[in-house]
Amino acid sequence: MLLAFFVVPFGLMIAVSFFQRVQGGFYEPIVTTANYARFLSLFFGKILLFSLGLSALVAAICITVGAPFTYLLTRLKRPMQVPWLVALLAVLSLSEVIIGFAWSTLLSRTAGVSNLFVAIGLMDAPVAWTPGFGAVLAGMVYQALPYSVLVLYPSFSRLDPSLAEAAKTLGASPIRAFLTVVLPALRTTLIATFIIVFVFALGAYLLPQLLGRPEHWTLSVLITDQAIYQSNMPFAAAMAVFLVVASLLLVLTTTLLGRRGQPA
């Protein structure tokens, strides 16, 4: 399975990245490094760093919000957990297009939430928060948060409640018990969740276009533009190889940093 669905496609993508583009066609099998040389520029370097930074920020926010939410969710009785889990699954059923246009409307000036703030006196006039970086971040967090909760839920459900209770018995506040006992006990799960959400956010394509300006577009948007609209498949493959290698290095670094804190 790994050979058929990852090794072979990735190998073909690497091979195409070294081919030469043919004007009016796709490419011809002439080995060249021009595609990688073109990518090694300040312009594409900034886009790569922005894509990695945005994905890491989305993953960090999802962990920060999702961990305490999941912990409180698992402390509820089973019948009270069901509506929350159904709501999370309902979000997963929404397509990226629907999420993008919903947030675009919600953050717009004409029909957005700023009109509500004006009505209750918190603002003087409605404003448009989209397109903008905040809108892109909000949309991507909204889309990725259910995944983080569903990944965290099994581990939080199996966590022994006596750990937090013992910390409270020793005088720790609920927040301190959560930070010093619960989170360290689930360190591996938190790292795995961060990696899953990071990789998921790295492939975001529509939300940066619908909610952001061109400077907020991720590398995935430019890869699609080169592959489909510019018919430059070799350069698109070179950018995709860079994106995969950079994400693998970041995932490896995160994993190693997580293992350093574990007891031998």
Side-chain angles (χ1 to χ4, degrees):
M1 293 291 286
L2 182 64
L3 180 67
F5 293 103
F6 179 75
V7 177
V8 173
F10 190 60
L12 292 175
M13 186 172 65
I14 293 176
V16 172
S17 68
F18 286 100
F19 288 169
Q20 187 174 21
R21 180 193 183 191
V22 177
Q23 293 291 341
F26 283 107
Y27 51 84
E28 55 185 0
I30 298 178
V31 178
T32 177
T33 58
N35 300 310
Y36 288 94
R38 181 185 175 188
F39 184 77
L40 295 175
S41 63
L42 182 61
F43 174 74
F44 290 107
K46 287 182 177 178
I47 295 176
L48 177 61
L49 290 177
F50 175 78
S51 302
L52 295 175
L54 176 62
S55 302
L57 182 59
V58 170
I61 294 176
C62 287
I63 292 294
T64 304
V65 177
F69 173 80
T70 309
Y71 176 70
L72 295 175
L73 179 64
T74 55
R75 300 281 78 83
L76 298 176
K77 294 183 178 178
R78 186 68 67 179
M80 298 182 66
Q81 295 181 19
V82 174
W84 289 101
L85 294 175
V86 170
L88 291 172
L89 293 176
V91 174
L92 296 180
S93 67
L94 300 176
S95 70
E96 196 172 357
V97 176
I98 296 176
I99 293 175
F101 280 111
W103 275 96
S104 179
T105 303
L106 189 66
L107 300 177
S108 67
R109 184 174 61 87
T110 55
V113 69
S114 62
N115 291 276
L116 176 63
F117 293 156
V118 173
I120 61 178
L122 296 178
M123 297 178 63
D124 295 329
V127 296
W129 288 314
T130 181
F133 177 76
V136 176
L137 185 63
M140 293 179 65
V141 168
Y142 175 82
Q143 186 187 29
L145 184 61
Y147 289 98
S148 65
V149 174
L150 293 179
V151 173
L152 292 170
Y153 182 82
S155 297
F156 274 94
S157 298
R158 293 193 296 267
L159 183 68
D160 189 355
S162 62
L163 292 175
E165 294 298 329
K168 294 176 184 177
T169 303
L170 295 175
S173 63
I175 296 178
R176 186 174 182 181
F178 176 76
L179 295 176
T180 58
V181 176
V182 175
L183 291 185
L186 299 174
R187 183 190 187 94
T188 304
T189 303
L190 294 174
I191 293 174
T193 306
F194 179 91
I195 292 174
I196 291 173
V197 176
F198 172 81
V199 174
F200 177 77
L202 199 59
Y205 163 66
L206 284 177
L207 290 181
Q209 288 190 89
L210 293 174
L211 300 174
R213 301 181 186 277
E215 60 265 29
H216 305 133
W217 289 0
T218 59
L219 196 59
S220 299
V221 178
L222 297 187
I223 291 174
T224 306
D225 177 71
Q226 290 293 326
I228 297 179
Y229 301 109
Q230 306 297 328
S231 299
N232 194 347
M233 192 66 73
F235 185 51
M239 288 194 294
V241 170
F242 261 102
L243 187 61
V244 172
V245 172
S247 60
L248 288 178
L249 289 177
L250 188 58
V251 169
L252 180 62
T253 303
T254 305
T255 304
L256 292 177
L257 290 176
R259 288 180 178 177
R260 287 181 59 184
Q262 292 182 343

